[in-house]
Coordinates of all heavy atoms in Angstrom, one line a residue:
M4 N -12.2 4.7 11.0 CA -11.1 5.0 11.8 C -9.8 5.3 10.9 O -9.5 4.5 10.1 CB -10.8 3.8 12.7 CG -9.5 4.0 13.6 SD -9.3 2.7 14.8 CE -8.2 1.7 13.9
R5 N -9.2 6.4 11.1 CA -8.1 6.8 10.3 C -6.8 6.5 11.1 O -6.7 6.8 12.3 CB -8.1 8.3 9.9 CG -9.2 8.5 8.9 CD -9.1 9.9 8.4 NE -8.0 10.2 7.5 CZ -7.9 9.9 6.2 NH1 -8.8 9.2 5.6 NH2 -6.9 10.3 5.6
E6 N -5.9 5.9 10.5 CA -4.6 5.6 11.1 C -3.6 6.8 10.9 O -4.0 7.6 10.0 CB -4.0 4.3 10.5 CG -4.8 3.1 10.8 CD -4.9 2.7 12.2 OE1 -3.8 2.8 12.9 OE2 -5.9 2.2 12.6
N7 N -2.5 6.8 11.5 CA -1.5 7.9 11.3 C -0.7 7.3 10.1 O 0.4 6.7 10.4 CB -0.7 8.2 12.5 CG 0.2 9.2 12.3 OD1 0.3 9.9 11.2 ND2 1.2 9.5 13.2
L8 N -1.0 7.6 9.0 CA -0.3 7.2 7.8 C 0.4 8.3 7.1 O 0.8 8.3 5.9 CB -1.3 6.5 6.8 CG -1.8 5.2 7.4 CD1 -2.9 4.7 6.5 CD2 -0.8 4.1 7.6
Q9 N 0.6 9.4 7.8 CA 1.4 10.6 7.3 C 2.9 10.4 7.7 O 3.1 10.1 8.9 CB 0.8 11.9 7.8 CG -0.4 12.3 7.2 CD -0.2 12.6 5.7 OE1 -1.0 12.1 4.9 NE2 0.7 13.5 5.3
F10 N 3.8 10.6 6.8 CA 5.3 10.6 7.0 C 5.7 11.9 6.5 O 6.0 12.0 5.3 CB 5.8 9.4 6.3 CG 5.4 8.1 6.9 CD1 4.2 7.5 6.5 CD2 6.1 7.4 7.9 CE1 3.8 6.2 7.0 CE2 5.7 6.2 8.5 CZ 4.6 5.7 8.0
G11 N 5.8 12.9 7.3 CA 6.1 14.3 6.8 C 5.0 14.7 6.0 O 3.8 14.6 6.3
S12 N 5.3 15.1 4.7 CA 4.3 15.5 3.8 C 3.7 14.4 3.0 O 2.9 14.6 2.1 CB 4.9 16.7 2.9 OG 5.9 16.1 2.1
Q13 N 4.3 13.2 3.2 CA 3.9 12.1 2.4 C 2.8 11.2 3.1 O 2.9 11.0 4.3 CB 5.1 11.2 2.0 CG 6.1 11.9 1.1 CD 5.6 12.1 -0.3 OE1 5.0 11.2 -0.8 NE2 5.9 13.2 -0.9
T14 N 1.9 10.7 2.3 CA 0.9 9.7 2.8 C 1.3 8.3 2.4 O 1.7 8.1 1.2 CB -0.5 10.0 2.2 OG1 -0.8 11.4 2.6 CG2 -1.5 9.1 2.8
A15 N 1.2 7.4 3.3 CA 1.6 6.0 3.0 C 0.8 5.4 1.8 O -0.4 5.8 1.7 CB 1.4 5.1 4.2
T16 N 1.4 4.7 1.0 CA 0.8 4.1 -0.3 C 0.3 2.7 0.1 O 1.0 1.9 0.6 CB 1.8 4.1 -1.4 OG1 2.4 5.4 -1.6 CG2 1.2 3.5 -2.7
A17 N -0.9 2.4 -0.4 CA -1.4 1.0 -0.5 C -1.5 0.7 -1.9 O -2.3 1.3 -2.7 CB -2.8 1.0 0.2
F18 N -0.8 -0.3 -2.4 CA -0.8 -0.8 -3.7 C -1.8 -1.9 -3.8 O -1.9 -2.8 -3.0 CB 0.6 -1.4 -4.2 CG 1.6 -0.3 -4.2 CD1 2.5 -0.2 -3.0 CD2 1.9 0.5 -5.3 CE1 3.5 0.7 -3.0 CE2 2.9 1.4 -5.2 CZ 3.7 1.5 -4.1
I19 N -2.7 -1.8 -4.8 CA -3.8 -2.8 -5.0 C -3.8 -3.2 -6.5 O -3.2 -2.6 -7.4 CB -5.2 -2.3 -4.7 CG1 -5.6 -1.2 -5.7 CG2 -5.3 -1.8 -3.3 CD1 -7.1 -1.0 -5.7
C20 N -4.3 -4.5 -6.7 CA -4.4 -5.0 -8.0 C -5.6 -6.0 -8.0 O -5.9 -6.5 -7.0 CB -3.2 -5.6 -8.6 SG -2.7 -7.1 -7.7
G21 N -6.1 -6.3 -9.2 CA -7.2 -7.2 -9.3 C -7.9 -7.2 -10.6 O -7.7 -6.2 -11.4
D22 N -8.8 -8.2 -10.8 CA -9.4 -8.3 -12.1 C -11.0 -7.8 -12.0 O -11.6 -7.7 -13.0 CB -9.4 -9.7 -12.7 CG -8.0 -10.1 -13.0 OD1 -7.2 -9.2 -13.4 OD2 -7.8 -11.3 -13.1
N23 N -11.4 -7.6 -10.8 CA -12.8 -7.3 -10.5 C -12.9 -5.8 -10.2 O -12.5 -5.4 -9.1 CB -13.4 -8.1 -9.4 CG -14.9 -7.9 -9.2 OD1 -15.3 -6.7 -8.9 ND2 -15.7 -8.9 -9.2
A24 N -13.5 -4.9 -11.0 CA -13.5 -3.5 -10.8 C -14.3 -3.1 -9.6 O -14.0 -2.3 -8.8 CB -14.1 -2.8 -12.0
D25 N -15.4 -3.9 -9.3 CA -16.3 -3.6 -8.2 C -15.5 -3.9 -6.9 O -15.5 -3.1 -5.9 CB -17.5 -4.4 -8.2 CG -18.5 -4.0 -9.3 OD1 -18.4 -2.8 -9.7 OD2 -19.3 -4.8 -9.7
A26 N -14.7 -5.0 -6.8 CA -13.9 -5.4 -5.7 C -12.8 -4.4 -5.4 O -12.5 -4.0 -4.3 CB -13.4 -6.7 -5.8
K27 N -12.2 -3.9 -6.6 CA -11.1 -2.9 -6.4 C -11.6 -1.6 -5.9 O -11.0 -0.9 -5.0 CB -10.4 -2.7 -7.8 CG -9.5 -3.8 -8.1 CD -9.0 -3.8 -9.5 CE -8.0 -2.7 -9.8 NZ -7.3 -2.8 -11.1
K28 N -12.8 -1.2 -6.2 CA -13.5 0.0 -5.7 C -13.7 -0.1 -4.2 O -13.5 0.8 -3.4 CB -14.8 0.3 -6.4 CG -15.4 1.5 -6.0 CD -14.5 2.8 -6.4 CE -15.3 4.0 -6.1 NZ -14.4 5.2 -6.0
I29 N -14.2 -1.3 -3.8 CA -14.4 -1.5 -2.3 C -13.1 -1.5 -1.5 O -13.0 -0.8 -0.5 CB -15.1 -2.9 -2.1 CG1 -16.5 -2.8 -2.7 CG2 -15.1 -3.3 -0.6 CD1 -17.3 -4.2 -2.7
V30 N -12.0 -2.1 -2.1 CA -10.8 -2.1 -1.4 C -10.2 -0.7 -1.4 O -9.6 -0.3 -0.4 CB -9.8 -3.1 -2.1 CG1 -8.4 -2.9 -1.5 CG2 -10.3 -4.5 -1.8
T31 N -10.3 0.0 -2.5 CA -9.9 1.4 -2.6 C -10.6 2.3 -1.5 O -9.9 3.0 -0.8 CB -10.1 2.0 -3.9 OG1 -9.3 1.3 -4.9 CG2 -9.7 3.5 -4.0
N32 N -11.9 2.2 -1.4 CA -12.6 2.9 -0.4 C -12.1 2.6 1.0 O -12.0 3.5 1.9 CB -14.1 2.7 -0.5 CG -14.6 3.4 -1.8 OD1 -14.0 4.3 -2.3 ND2 -15.7 2.9 -2.3
L33 N -11.9 1.3 1.3 CA -11.6 0.8 2.6 C -10.1 1.4 3.0 O -9.9 1.9 4.1 CB -11.5 -0.7 2.8 CG -12.9 -1.4 2.8 CD1 -12.7 -2.9 2.7 CD2 -13.6 -1.0 4.0
A34 N -9.2 1.3 2.1 CA -7.8 1.8 2.2 C -7.8 3.3 2.5 O -7.2 3.8 3.3 CB -7.0 1.4 1.1
E35 N -8.6 4.0 1.6 CA -8.7 5.5 1.7 C -9.3 5.9 3.0 O -8.9 6.9 3.7 CB -9.4 6.1 0.6 CG -8.6 6.0 -0.7 CD -9.4 6.6 -2.0 OE1 -10.6 6.7 -1.9 OE2 -8.7 6.8 -3.0
D36 N -10.3 5.2 3.5 CA -11.0 5.4 4.7 C -10.0 5.4 6.0 O -10.2 6.1 6.9 CB -12.2 4.5 5.0 CG -13.4 4.8 4.2 OD1 -13.4 5.9 3.5 OD2 -14.3 3.9 4.2
I37 N -9.0 4.5 5.9 CA -8.1 4.4 7.0 C -6.9 5.3 6.8 O -6.0 5.3 7.6 CB -7.7 3.0 7.4 CG1 -7.0 2.3 6.2 CG2 -8.9 2.2 7.9 CD1 -6.5 0.9 6.6
G38 N -6.8 6.0 5.6 CA -5.7 7.0 5.5 C -4.7 6.7 4.4 O -3.8 7.5 4.3
F39 N -4.8 5.6 3.7 CA -3.8 5.3 2.6 C -4.0 6.2 1.4 O -5.2 6.5 1.1 CB -3.8 3.9 2.2 CG -3.1 2.9 3.2 CD1 -3.9 2.2 4.0 CD2 -1.8 2.8 3.2 CE1 -3.2 1.3 4.9 CE2 -1.1 2.0 4.0 CZ -1.8 1.2 4.9
E40 N -3.0 6.4 0.6 CA -3.1 6.9 -0.8 C -3.0 5.6 -1.6 O -2.1 4.8 -1.5 CB -2.0 7.8 -1.2 CG -2.0 8.2 -2.6 CD -0.9 9.1 -3.1 OE1 -0.1 9.6 -2.2 OE2 -0.8 9.3 -4.3
V41 N -4.1 5.3 -2.3 CA -4.2 4.1 -3.1 C -3.6 4.2 -4.5 O -3.8 5.2 -5.2 CB -5.6 3.6 -3.2 CG1 -5.7 2.3 -4.0 CG2 -6.2 3.4 -1.8
V42 N -2.7 3.3 -4.9 CA -2.2 3.2 -6.3 C -2.7 1.8 -6.8 O -2.4 0.8 -6.3 CB -0.7 3.2 -6.3 CG1 -0.1 2.9 -7.7 CG2 -0.2 4.6 -5.7
D43 N -3.4 1.9 -7.9 CA -3.9 0.8 -8.6 C -2.8 0.2 -9.5 O -2.4 0.9 -10.5 CB -5.2 1.1 -9.4 CG -5.8 -0.1 -10.0 OD1 -5.2 -1.2 -10.2 OD2 -7.0 0.1 -10.4
A44 N -2.3 -0.9 -9.2 CA -1.2 -1.5 -10.0 C -1.6 -2.3 -11.2 O -0.8 -2.8 -11.9 CB -0.3 -2.3 -9.1
G45 N -2.9 -2.4 -11.4 CA -3.4 -3.1 -12.6 C -4.2 -4.4 -12.3 O -4.8 -4.5 -11.3
T46 N -4.0 -5.3 -13.2 CA -4.8 -6.6 -13.1 C -4.2 -7.5 -12.1 O -3.0 -7.2 -11.5 CB -4.7 -7.3 -14.4 OG1 -3.4 -7.7 -14.7 CG2 -5.3 -6.5 -15.5
L47 N -4.8 -8.6 -11.7 CA -4.4 -9.6 -10.8 C -3.0 -10.1 -11.1 O -2.2 -10.6 -10.2 CB -5.3 -10.7 -10.6 CG -5.2 -11.6 -9.5 CD1 -5.2 -10.9 -8.2 CD2 -6.2 -12.7 -9.5
K48 N -2.6 -10.1 -12.3 CA -1.2 -10.6 -12.7 C -0.1 -9.8 -12.0 O 1.0 -10.3 -11.8 CB -1.0 -10.4 -14.2 CG -1.7 -11.4 -15.1 CD -1.5 -11.0 -16.6 CE -0.9 -12.2 -17.3 NZ -0.7 -11.9 -18.7
Q49 N -0.5 -8.6 -11.6 CA 0.5 -7.7 -10.9 C 0.8 -8.2 -9.5 O 1.8 -7.7 -8.8 CB 0.1 -6.3 -11.0 CG 0.0 -5.7 -12.3 CD 1.2 -6.0 -13.2 OE1 2.3 -5.8 -12.9 NE2 0.9 -6.5 -14.4
A50 N -0.1 -9.0 -8.9 CA 0.1 -9.5 -7.6 C 1.4 -10.1 -7.4 O 2.0 -10.0 -6.3 CB -1.0 -10.4 -7.2
R51 N 1.9 -10.8 -8.4 CA 3.3 -11.5 -8.2 C 4.4 -10.5 -8.0 O 5.5 -10.8 -7.5 CB 3.6 -12.4 -9.4 CG 3.8 -11.7 -10.7 CD 4.0 -12.8 -11.8 NE 4.9 -12.5 -12.8 CZ 6.2 -12.1 -12.8 NH1 6.7 -11.7 -11.6 NH2 6.9 -11.9 -13.8
L52 N 4.1 -9.2 -8.4 CA 5.1 -8.1 -8.2 C 4.9 -7.4 -6.8 O 5.9 -6.9 -6.3 CB 5.0 -7.1 -9.3 CG 5.2 -7.6 -10.7 CD1 5.0 -6.6 -11.8 CD2 6.6 -8.2 -10.9
L53 N 3.7 -7.4 -6.4 CA 3.4 -6.7 -5.2 C 3.7 -7.6 -3.9 O 4.1 -7.0 -2.9 CB 1.9 -6.3 -5.1 CG 1.4 -5.3 -6.1 CD1 0.0 -4.9 -5.9 CD2 2.3 -4.0 -6.0
E54 N 3.6 -8.9 -4.0 CA 3.8 -9.8 -2.9 C 5.3 -9.7 -2.4 O 5.5 -9.6 -1.2 CB 3.5 -11.2 -3.3 CG 2.0 -11.4 -3.4 CD 1.5 -12.8 -4.0 OE1 2.5 -13.5 -4.5 OE2 0.4 -13.0 -4.1
P55 N 6.3 -9.6 -3.3 CA 7.6 -9.4 -2.7 C 7.8 -8.1 -2.1 O 8.7 -8.0 -1.1 CB 8.6 -9.6 -4.0 CG 7.7 -10.4 -5.0 CD 6.3 -10.0 -4.7
L56 N 7.1 -7.1 -2.5 CA 7.2 -5.8 -1.8 C 6.7 -5.9 -0.4 O 7.3 -5.3 0.5 CB 6.4 -4.8 -2.7 CG 6.5 -3.3 -2.2 CD1 7.9 -2.8 -2.4 CD2 5.6 -2.4 -3.1
G57 N 5.6 -6.6 -0.2 CA 5.0 -6.9 1.1 C 6.1 -7.6 1.9 O 6.2 -7.4 3.1
M58 N 6.7 -8.7 1.3 CA 7.6 -9.5 2.1 C 8.9 -8.6 2.4 O 9.4 -8.8 3.5 CB 8.1 -10.6 1.1 CG 7.0 -11.6 0.9 SD 7.3 -12.9 -0.3 CE 8.8 -13.6 0.1
L59 N 9.3 -7.7 1.6 CA 10.4 -6.8 2.0 C 10.0 -6.0 3.2 O 10.8 -5.8 4.1 CB 10.7 -5.9 0.8 CG 11.7 -4.8 1.1 CD1 13.1 -5.4 1.5 CD2 11.8 -3.8 -0.1
W60 N 8.8 -5.4 3.2 CA 8.3 -4.6 4.4 C 8.4 -5.4 5.6 O 8.9 -5.0 6.7 CB 6.9 -4.1 4.1 CG 6.5 -3.1 5.2 CD1 6.6 -1.7 5.2 CD2 6.0 -3.4 6.5 NE1 6.2 -1.2 6.3 CE2 5.7 -2.2 7.2 CE3 5.5 -4.6 7.1 CZ2 5.2 -2.1 8.5 CZ3 5.1 -4.5 8.4 CH2 4.9 -3.3 9.0
I61 N 7.8 -6.7 5.6 CA 7.8 -7.5 6.8 C 9.3 -7.8 7.2 O 9.5 -7.8 8.4 CB 7.1 -8.9 6.4 CG1 5.6 -8.6 6.3 CG2 7.3 -9.9 7.5 CD1 4.8 -9.7 5.6
N62 N 10.2 -8.2 6.3 CA 11.5 -8.5 6.6 C 12.2 -7.3 7.3 O 12.9 -7.4 8.3 CB 12.3 -8.9 5.4 CG 13.7 -9.2 5.7 OD1 14.6 -8.5 5.7 ND2 14.0 -10.5 6.0
L63 N 12.0 -6.1 6.8 CA 12.6 -4.9 7.4 C 12.0 -4.7 8.8 O 12.7 -4.3 9.7 CB 12.4 -3.7 6.5 CG 13.2 -3.7 5.1 CD1 12.7 -2.5 4.3 CD2 14.7 -3.6 5.4
A64 N 10.7 -4.8 8.9 CA 10.1 -4.6 10.2 C 10.6 -5.5 11.3 O 10.9 -5.1 12.4 CB 8.6 -4.8 10.0
F65 N 10.8 -6.8 10.9 CA 11.3 -7.8 11.9 C 12.8 -7.8 12.0 O 13.3 -8.5 12.9 CB 10.7 -9.1 11.6 CG 9.3 -9.3 12.0 CD1 8.3 -9.1 11.0 CD2 8.9 -9.5 13.3 CE1 6.9 -9.2 11.4 CE2 7.5 -9.6 13.7 CZ 6.6 -9.5 12.7
S66 N 13.5 -7.1 11.2 CA 14.9 -7.1 11.2 C 15.5 -5.8 12.0 O 16.7 -5.5 11.9 CB 15.5 -7.0 9.9 OG 15.2 -8.3 9.2
G67 N 14.5 -5.2 12.8 CA 15.0 -4.1 13.6 C 14.4 -2.7 13.2 O 14.6 -1.7 14.0
M68 N 13.8 -2.6 12.1 CA 13.3 -1.3 11.7 C 12.0 -1.0 12.4 O 11.7 0.2 12.5 CB 13.2 -1.2 10.2 CG 12.9 0.2 9.7 SD 12.9 0.3 7.9 CE 14.7 0.3 7.6
G69 N 11.3 -1.9 12.9 CA 10.1 -1.7 13.5 C 9.0 -1.5 12.5 O 9.2 -1.8 11.3
Q70 N 7.8 -1.1 13.0 CA 6.6 -1.1 12.1 C 6.2 0.4 11.7 O 5.3 0.5 10.9 CB 5.4 -1.7 12.8 CG 5.6 -3.2 13.2 CD 4.4 -3.6 13.9 OE1 3.3 -3.0 14.0 NE2 4.6 -4.8 14.5
H71 N 7.0 1.4 12.0 CA 6.6 2.7 11.8 C 7.3 3.3 10.5 O 8.1 4.3 10.6 CB 6.9 3.6 13.0 CG 6.1 3.0 14.2 ND1 4.7 3.2 14.3 CD2 6.5 2.4 15.3 CE1 4.3 2.7 15.5 NE2 5.4 2.1 16.0
F72 N 7.1 2.6 9.4 CA 7.6 3.1 8.1 C 6.8 2.6 7.0 O 5.9 1.8 7.2 CB 9.1 2.6 7.9 CG 9.2 1.1 7.6 CD1 9.3 0.7 6.4 CD2 9.3 0.2 8.7 CE1 9.3 -0.7 6.0 CE2 9.3 -1.1 8.5 CZ 9.4 -1.6 7.1
A73 N 6.9 3.3 5.9 CA 6.1 2.8 4.7 C 7.0 2.8 3.5 O 8.0 3.4 3.3 CB 4.9 3.8 4.4
I74 N 6.6 1.9 2.5 CA 7.2 1.8 1.2 C 6.2 2.6 0.3 O 5.1 2.3 0.2 CB 7.4 0.4 0.8 CG1 8.4 -0.3 1.7 CG2 7.9 0.4 -0.7 CD1 8.5 -1.8 1.4
N75 N 6.7 3.7 -0.3 CA 5.9 4.6 -0.9 C 6.2 4.8 -2.4 O 7.3 4.7 -2.8 CB 6.0 6.0 -0.2 CG 4.7 6.5 0.4 OD1 3.9 5.7 0.7 ND2 4.6 7.8 0.5
L76 N 5.2 5.3 -3.1 CA 5.4 5.7 -4.5 C 5.4 7.3 -4.4 O 4.4 7.9 -3.9 CB 4.2 5.3 -5.4 CG 4.2 5.7 -6.8 CD1 5.4 5.1 -7.5 CD2 2.9 5.4 -7.5
I77 N 6.5 7.9 -4.8 CA 6.6 9.3 -4.8 C 6.5 9.9 -6.3 O 7.2 9.4 -7.2 CB 7.9 9.7 -4.2 CG1 8.0 9.3 -2.7 CG2 8.1 11.3 -4.2 CD1 9.4 9.4 -2.1
K78 N 5.5 10.8 -6.5 CA 5.3 11.3 -7.8 C 5.6 12.8 -7.9 O 5.6 13.5 -6.9 CB 3.8 11.1 -8.2 CG 3.4 9.7 -8.1 CD 1.9 9.6 -8.3 CE 1.2 10.0 -7.0 NZ -0.2 9.6 -6.9
R79 N 5.9 13.3 -9.0 CA 6.0 14.7 -9.3 C 4.8 15.1 -10.0 O 4.2 14.6 -10.8 CB 7.2 15.0 -10.2 CG 8.5 14.9 -9.5 CD 9.6 15.5 -10.4 NE 10.9 15.0 -9.9 CZ 11.6 15.5 -9.0 NH1 11.2 16.7 -8.4 NH2 12.7 15.0 -8.6

């Protein structure tokens, strides 16, 4: 099932990290199957950087922005 993860010409980003290559491949496939663009942020040590990003999204969503937005990595 694909979600509507398109925001104009941009696709919502799912940031992942971990130490197990096989597990990361499974998570990447699941995220791509539902429509995310996956960015591998590296080893599990990076989780401490990704968790506050998730907390920011939750805070914005519950502070009146709603759930229809994404925090994205934009590349050239």
Side-chain angles (χ1 to χ4, degrees):
M4 175 174 95
R5 290 188 70 81
E6 297 293 324
N7 182 9
L8 296 170
Q9 283 298 126
F10 295 84
S12 64
Q13 296 290 319
T14 302
T16 303
F18 297 94
I19 67 164
C20 65
D22 292 336
N23 183 306
D25 293 333
K27 284 169 74 170
K28 183 64 176 164
I29 291 168
V30 171
T31 295
N32 289 338
L33 290 169
E35 289 175 345
D36 284 350
I37 61 173
F39 281 103
E40 177 182 349
V41 177
V42 172
D43 186 341
T46 66
L47 190 57
K48 286 175 122 180
Q49 302 310 312
R51 68 182 218 47
L52 302 174
L53 295 181
E54 289 168 356
L56 189 61
M58 292 168 51
L59 173 63
W60 188 95
I61 291 167
N62 182 267
L63 291 172
F65 284 98
S66 295
M68 191 171 282
Q70 300 176 12
H71 301 286
F72 70 97
I74 298 172
N75 241 26
L76 178 67
I77 300 172
K78 304 173 282 192
R79 286 192 200 270

